[in-house]
Amino acid sequence: METQARGGYNGKILRVNLSSNVISEETIDELFCRKYLGGAGFIIYLLWKELRPGTNPLSHDNKLVLALGPLTGIPLPGSGRNCIGAKSPLTEGITKSEVGGFWGAELKRAGYDAVIVEGKADKPVYLWIHDGEVSIRDASILWGRNTKETQQSIRTELGDNRIQVAMIGPGGENLVRYACIMNGLYDAAGRGGLGAVMGSKNLKALAVRGRKAPTIVERTPVKELREWLLANMQLVQAFHEFGTGAAMRGFEATGNLPIRNFRDGLFPGVKMIDAQAIKDTIRVGMDACFGCPVRCKKKVQVSEPYPVDPAYGGPEYETLAALGSNCGIDDLKAIAKGNELCGAYSLDTISVGNVIAFAMECFENGLLSVKDTNSIEARFGNAEAMLKLIELIARREGIGDLLAEGTYRAAQKIGKGAAEFAMQVKGLEAGLHEPRSKPGLGLGFMVNPHGADHCCNLHDNLYVVEGQMKELRALGILEPVPVEDISPRKVALFKLIQLNRIVFDSLVLCQFLPYSLEQLADVTAAVTGWDTGVMEQLKVAERILTMARLFNIREGFTAADDMLPQRFFQPKTDGVLADKPLDPTKLEKAKSYYYAMMGWDTSTGIPTPEKLEELDIT
Amino acid sequence: METQARGGYNGKILRVNLSSNVISEETIDELFCRKYLGGAGFIIYLLWKELRPGTNPLSHDNKLVLALGPLTGIPLPGSGRNCIGAKSPLTEGITKSEVGGFWGAELKRAGYDAVIVEGKADKPVYLWIHDGEVSIRDASILWGRNTKETQQSIRTELGDNRIQVAMIGPGGENLVRYACIMNGLYDAAGRGGLGAVMGSKNLKALAVRGRKAPTIVERTPVKELREWLLANMQLVQAFHEFGTGAAMRGFEATGNLPIRNFRDGLFPGVKMIDAQAIKDTIRVGMDACFGCPVRCKKKVQVSEPYPVDPAYGGPEYETLAALGSNCGIDDLKAIAKGNELCGAYSLDTISVGNVIAFAMECFENGLLSVKDTNSIEARFGNAEAMLKLIELIARREGIGDLLAEGTYRAAQKIGKGAAEFAMQVKGLEAGLHEPRSKPGLGLGFMVNPHGADHCCNLHDNLYVVEGQMKELRALGILEPVPVEDISPRKVALFKLIQLNRIVFDSLVLCQFLPYSLEQLADVTAAVTGWDTGVMEQLKVAERILTMARLFNIREGFTAADDMLPQRFFQPKTDGVLADKPLDPTKLEKAKSYYYAMMGWDTSTGIPTPEKLEELDIT
């Protein structure tokens, strides 16, 4: 394929088949890189092209794809991440999840831009990727171990403490449908059950080490953007000082905080569990991802009533709300312990918190009893119950085996109206933000290809106040769009930001960093040598999102799957949203207009043949 | 209305009612300016808001709007222009036309950004606008005079030879439906019959003089863009050396040159009438619009067989093809004389050439005879006939009265299949480029709000070769789109360029200058102080184009009016397009996808309510 771009940028892909033990390398050309960027774009393209329809996500036919972007590993804050995707065991649609830490930057230095894992090993193995060399190694002695033990064991075995490890704990091994993949001990590729896919392949870990610096065509703009961020650290000051979760008290006041399975509106205990409380009590330090001055990652330590190991970092906002307010729990130490357990077992804290809240509401409503729950009194506010349930889920013991299936499947099995308590879209448990407080988030939950992802929150709540309008105006949004708005103006804004976020996920960069669309395009141009711009990047995102849609349609998804749990159309029991349910008619209209703006049929949500041709999707 | 922009930019509007003699001033606020820019945007907004549906274009109810843009009159090549619009006597839909020269820059210096002329004077008048003072003056002695006499008479009367005059000659006075408005003697606001609207108001001229320099928030970027152009004059070298029409021999070779009413494909005489031939024979100099180093305006002089006054400049490409090849005429002196007559009488050379070619084809096919034509042998190639017909049209004498109605109405009156020879869309005669050689131009002719405008040519033939791809790639068009392509990829490119051209027309800048979208946005930001960008400007253009659509729909236009003359679906008689007619099915598909991309109903072309809400059109 002749490329039209001048940089000569391309990508090197490592493909490992665990059934045949064949290891191979492929090069993707520059035009392809430009059309899909990397990360989420590469993953969605690959899964669309290579997976057979109807593939069982936990079979050897599924593929696990770990991908970097053109900016990965460069000296720029936010560049250490990677994206991971597969067909989801939770949604049976496409899923992808971004993850921080150091693994992404290390893989780049090892000489690869993506790893595709196919097939299934006969027995537990791990991959060892270092400076262009790749081996499949026995992991029998690692199987069953938690992540901390796994990481240390691999480093010891290979004799290098700087090896970066992406891995699963028992949650992934036991095919918990929302098991995550851990990059080291702080950072999770959390959503959609990627850890179960890894477990189903008998793949315990991917260990990487490399020394090859990424190519950068023009270094000055990278340096300037880094310096811009350093000169504007006030933009990320809250993250720097508290990490995530500093705004939780405000969330409770505005109704954005999910409380007791998204049912309630008041939770005075929020002040016991937010990032301020953590700083004042159990925090012992802050840590950072690769090359990042923000240092938003908490480390917490607890000695009693149970030890919490600071090696596992500390709970992020989503975890605080998931295991805390959404379970009615205001015991910070218990939440910290739950966070540690999820990290050790490789479980997605968001799904875990939702699943436990679901179980608690079922229990309180008599749909589950102590006979079902291994005698656990699974009531809202019972911190001990929450911790016990995590253990059972990770091991798939008793009630844990049911709950390991996720809220959607568990509700089907319980029956008796339990589905009403399953706060999920397409099978993915909802991120810990409240669509009733911002309907644009509701739209995001509805139309996001892999369900009610917590990242959808970033599609709605940015840029709605005057202080954030400067960039938006240059994009044609001349006036602030109120948070409660769900008119076509909001849909247009939503689409713009959603596309922008796909750009972040494909480059692959941390979404917490306040880079503008223009800064993203300019730094991409500098690194790759492409004459790229904002509009090109947004069109790339449109291509990627449309391809994800095609994947799901091929798996049988329809517009009816772009729906919200009924609870969001009912008022909260108390608090500021007690009389403010979402309006289903307005949401359906917004969805239809979103389809129109994407070039999809306004009723079915199926991309039109013309749109596919325009986007060069074949 | 609270504005969100920081520059404080606004606009001052002069409103003159010729029925009541009321002269008033209005200020438009910054947010409005940002949402519509100026020029075409302001005109279309105003006509949409203020004209009653069904207004007779030649009645006192029509309004003539002359508008500048935020860049008018700044020290930047291409900034001296203005836009003029009204309900068209030719199409009975919206029309607007851009015009060069010095009048626009002078109006800015006189303190205004737009002039709205309403009502109808009892007797001939002209407006005198100077440094914020405005008067309605008697023009009885000017009525019936040609433009040169009119301009000189006004300058003498007011005692200032630097007064700039926009005016009509007898063509406008006699309500020829395609009379133009002349800015001085070279530059015509040609299309759609704006001169007839002026004539119908008994308005002979608008004379302006001013000394107030335009406000520029930040001068350096303006200076830098000017210097960029001066350093890249090779981009406009052909215009500089030849003016327009240097490519005519190539046009004949590729089939783009209209020959004998768009019927034929071969015209060896092209070498006698192109810009090279002009340079070699009758050219006596080149001239420029306000502040422009390109100097693309030819001056020609002829002494026999008839004098051609160099004061009227010389024929542009459209005129050379309209009065030349499209009438089968290769007599350059006759074409130059025809150009002079059209300038003197204020007739649109494009419509004139089409109307005469139409008459010639009717004559040759027996639909008109010498009994109808004041004894003129109106055959293709008869230069004398062409010149006589221009005289008759301007005075509406004999056959001239019929032809002054334009091809659409004349064909209706003649009947007997004459409509087949009327090369018009929506009533506007086609610009002199051949859609069969580039179907994107066909789409442009179809969907352009005011019909088959020659400027549609700029929507298609740019950016299709590698050398022009740099900017396009940054906009997401990664690979060249072949000129013969009419797939969704072409439609997407067409929409992008069409919107870009609306930005040019609203800023108001000369479309011949090779400013990129980014340069346009940056210089707008510098002049106004707005934090604007390419995407904002394209959204503004979408708003403007959608509003023009609404205007036409209100007047009864439907998707069926977005059609091409049948001739374009038939092969040419000879030449390279002898076996290459346009495919009507492909064009209809392209039209439907264009509607989809614009957010209009794909069948009816009616903008969806959601799109209107998104664009804030109320």
Side-chain angles (χ1 to χ4, degrees), chain A residues 124-146:
Chain A
V125 296
Y126 75 93
L127 290 186
W128 169 221
I129 303 166
H130 57 112
D131 288 318
E133 291 182 37
V134 184
S135 53
I136 302 171
R137 297 177 65 95
D138 181 53
S140 302
I141 62 157
L142 301 175
W143 208 250
R145 293 204 198 172
N146 69 29

Side-chain angles (χ1 to χ4, degrees), chain A residues 372-389:
Chain A
D372 305 303
T373 61
N374 304 44
S375 304
I376 296 168
E377 281 283 329
R379 294 186 183 281
F380 285 124
N382 185 342
E384 203 60 39
M386 180 264 287
L387 294 175
K388 280 184 186 162
L389 287 170

Side-chain angles (χ1 to χ4, degrees), chain A residues 170-433:
Chain A
E173 295 172 14
N174 295 326
L175 310 183
V176 175
R177 284 188 188 269
Y178 43 87
C180 65
I181 297 173
M182 295 296 294
N183 272 7
L185 308 185
Y186 299 170
D187 298 287
R191 311 307 318 273
L194 294 162
V197 175
M198 205 161 146
S200 74
K201 296 187 174 306
N202 274 327
L203 179 63
K204 180 69 178 178
L206 298 96
V208 297
R209 184 77 174 97
R211 290 166 190 82
K212 185 184 149 212
T215 305
I216 297 173
V217 171
E218 206 187 338
R219 304 194 76 87
T220 308
V222 178
K223 179 166 170 280
E224 285 171 356
L225 184 55
R226 186 173 64 241
E227 284 168 358
W228 171 85
L229 183 70
L230 291 170
N232 288 279
M233 284 292 285
Q234 77 283 0
L235 296 172
V236 286
Q237 185 54 36
F239 286 135
H240 182 64
E241 192 173 343
F242 295 104
T244 57
M248 284 179 76
R249 297 178 203 189
F251 286 0
E252 195 236 3
T254 61
N256 185 45
L257 185 70
I259 297 163
R260 297 181 199 88
N261 204 27
F262 288 85
R263 187 189 68 192
D264 301 341
L266 296 175
F267 190 68
V270 66
K271 63 182 179 298
M272 320 276 285
I273 64 169
D274 71 350
Q276 177 72 59
I278 293 176
K279 188 182 179 195
D280 294 344
T281 57
I282 61 174
R283 206 172 92 182
V284 294
M286 295 295 278
D287 215 334
C289 293
F290 171 83
C292 187
V294 180
R295 303 183 64 79
C296 76
K297 311 198 77 68
K298 312 172 193 78
K299 296 181 73 157
V300 303
Q301 188 162 22
V302 176
S303 50
E304 51 73 35
Y306 18 62
V308 175
D309 185 346
Y312 285 104
E316 300 290 345
Y317 163 71
E318 294 286 336
T319 308
L320 294 168
L323 304 182
S325 60
N326 205 42
C327 290
I329 291 171
D330 60 7
D331 176 344
L332 181 56
K333 292 178 179 176
I335 297 168
K337 185 66 191 176
N339 181 66
E340 180 212 70
L341 293 178
C342 288
Y345 300 155
S346 74
L347 295 176
D348 171 25
T349 58
I350 298 175
S351 281
V352 165
N354 269 280
V355 163
I356 293 175
F358 162 80
M360 288 173 166
E361 193 163 6
C362 285
F363 189 90
E364 292 196 351
N365 283 274
L367 306 186
L368 292 174
S369 73
V370 286
K371 282 182 280 183
D372 305 303
T373 61
N374 304 44
S375 304
I376 296 168
E377 281 283 329
R379 294 186 183 281
F380 285 124
N382 185 342
E384 203 60 39
M386 180 264 287
L387 294 175
K388 280 184 186 162
L389 287 170
I390 294 176
E391 298 279 2
L392 295 175
I393 288 167
R395 295 196 299 271
R396 274 190 179 267
E397 279 180 25
I399 182 78
D401 192 40
L402 175 72
L403 298 182
E405 293 292 287
T407 53
Y408 173 76
R409 287 176 177 76
Q412 299 299 314
K413 288 184 183 165
I414 294 169
K416 297 176 287 184
E420 183 189 337
F421 306 139
M423 301 306 290
Q424 53 75 31
V425 177
K426 297 185 176 66
L428 185 75
E429 285 76 21
L432 280 298
H433 291 273

Side-chain angles (χ1 to χ4, degrees), chain B residues 154-165:
Chain B
I154 288 174
R155 286 175 171 174
T156 303
E157 178 177 314
L158 299 173
D160 184 349
N161 262 326
R162 299 182 68 182
I163 288 167
Q164 299 300 332
V165 184

Side-chain angles (χ1 to χ4, degrees), chain A residues 4 466 473 536 593 614, chain B residues 4 466 531 536 593 614:
Chain A
Q4 300 294 343
E466 172 55 25
R473 278 197 293 266
E536 178 186 347
Y593 192 54
E614 184 210 330
Chain B
Q4 301 293 343
E466 171 55 24
D531 39 17
E536 177 185 348
Y593 192 54
E614 184 209 329

Side-chain angles (χ1 to χ4, degrees), chain A residues 4 31 34-35 466 470 473-479 487-489 492 496 531-536 538-539 593 597 610-611 613-614 616, chain B residues 4 31 34-35 466 470 473-479 487-489 492 496 531-536 538-539 593 597 610-611 613-614 616:
Chain A
Q4 300 294 343
L31 183 59
R34 212 165 154 167
K35 280 172 69 181
E466 172 55 25
K470 182 177 187 310
R473 278 197 293 266
L475 299 170
I477 313 280
L478 289 178
E479 296 169 285
S487 75
R489 286 178 66 218
L496 183 64
D531 39 17
T532 188
V534 169
M535 285 181 63
E536 178 186 347
L538 293 177
K539 190 156 184 174
Y593 192 54
M597 291 200 79
E610 293 82 4
K611 189 69 192 180
E613 202 175 339
E614 184 210 330
D616 201 15
Chain B
Q4 301 293 343
L31 184 59
R34 213 165 153 167
K35 281 172 67 180
E466 171 55 24
K470 183 179 186 308
R473 278 198 292 267
L475 300 170
I477 314 278
L478 289 179
E479 295 168 286
S487 74
R489 287 178 65 218
L496 184 64
D531 39 17
T532 188
V534 170
M535 285 182 61
E536 177 185 348
L538 293 177
K539 189 155 185 176
Y593 192 54
M597 291 200 79
E610 293 81 5
K611 189 70 191 178
E613 202 175 338
E614 184 209 329
D616 202 16

